[in-house]
Amino acid sequence: MDWYTTVIELIDMRSFSNLWYWIALAVVWSSASHWVLGVPFDLVLRARRHGGQAELDLEDLVRINTNRLVYIGTVSGLWLLGFSCFFLTGLGLLGFFYGVEFAQAVFLLAFPMSIVALMSISTSRLISTQGLRGEALRQRMTKHRFFTQLIGVLSIFVTAMWGMYQNMTAGALGG
């Protein structure tokens, strides 16, 4: 077995039968639910338990990240939306119309994450305009994390069902 064959087997384009894809899926959703608006959720919990400096750190980090997200959304939001729609449409067509499994796998990762990104911009705008602080800020962050986790669970379920279907039909067709 030569080097080229080893690399091709390691980076298998049949994504749903590849362990690396499922590891990446788990890491993406674990990171998305831990980093709420770019702030580690353990800081939200520490601020709730201890207050004081942890509360100030949370408010500062949220202020910095929400201002950043609102600025990006305001300055280049339409361009990002257009590019994202183009990218997701291309992946969807390649994956589900033309049957490219790699495009299906990337679409099933990217589409739910784009929903989380839109939700993050919306939450950032809400936090910024309402000037949330203290308990109200922690509740909004917790609510945002809950909906991110809900989208993640649904995404993993749909991806697992589609992946099992793909693996069964690929196995039935002989590879």
Side-chain angles (χ1 to χ4, degrees):
M1 187 178 284
D2 62 347
W3 180 83
Y4 180 75
T5 307
T6 305
V7 169
I8 292 302
E9 285 182 8
L10 183 64
I11 308 171
D12 184 10
M13 295 305 266
R14 287 204 51 244
S15 302
F16 298 113
S17 63
N18 193 332
L19 178 63
W20 291 108
Y21 176 74
W22 297 103
I23 291 171
L25 184 73
V27 167
V28 163
W29 284 111
S30 174
S31 298
S33 67
H34 178 69
W35 292 91
V36 181
L37 302 179
V39 178
F41 195 72
D42 62 288
L43 186 58
V44 176
L45 297 176
R46 194 172 340 131
R48 179 172 290 139
R49 274 187 240 124
H50 303 293
Q53 186 61 45
E55 183 86 32
L56 294 174
D57 291 346
L58 172 67
E59 289 174 356
D60 288 342
L61 267 177
V62 169
R63 180 185 48 78
I64 291 167
N65 287 326
T66 56
N67 287 343
R68 187 179 132 266
L69 286 172
V70 168
Y71 178 76
I72 289 170
T74 302
V75 170
S76 56
L78 286 176
W79 284 101
L80 287 173
L81 181 66
F83 178 74
S84 299
C85 289
F86 172 78
F87 178 72
L88 290 171
T89 301
L91 282 175
L93 285 172
L94 278 173
F96 299 104
F97 187 73
Y98 291 107
V100 178
E101 188 174 318
F102 183 73
Q104 293 172 2
V106 174
F107 180 85
L108 289 170
L109 256 170
F111 180 70
M113 285 305 295
S114 67
I115 295 171
V116 171
L118 289 173
M119 194 173 71
S120 295
I121 291 172
S122 175
T123 301
S124 294
R125 199 174 299 273
L126 184 83
I127 289 171
S128 182
T129 57
Q130 292 183 353
L132 298 181
R133 300 181 67 104
E135 182 60 29
L137 176 63
R138 290 192 305 271
Q139 286 178 348
R140 177 58 59 184
M141 296 289 282
T142 303
K143 184 177 178 181
H144 182 82
R145 182 178 192 228
F146 171 77
F147 284 111
T148 299
Q149 288 176 328
L150 183 65
I151 292 169
V153 167
L154 291 172
S155 170
I156 290 170
F157 177 76
V158 168
T159 303
M161 292 296 113
W162 185 256
M164 283 189 282
Y165 171 75
Q166 288 295 102
N167 287 336
M168 286 190 299
T169 57
L173 296 174

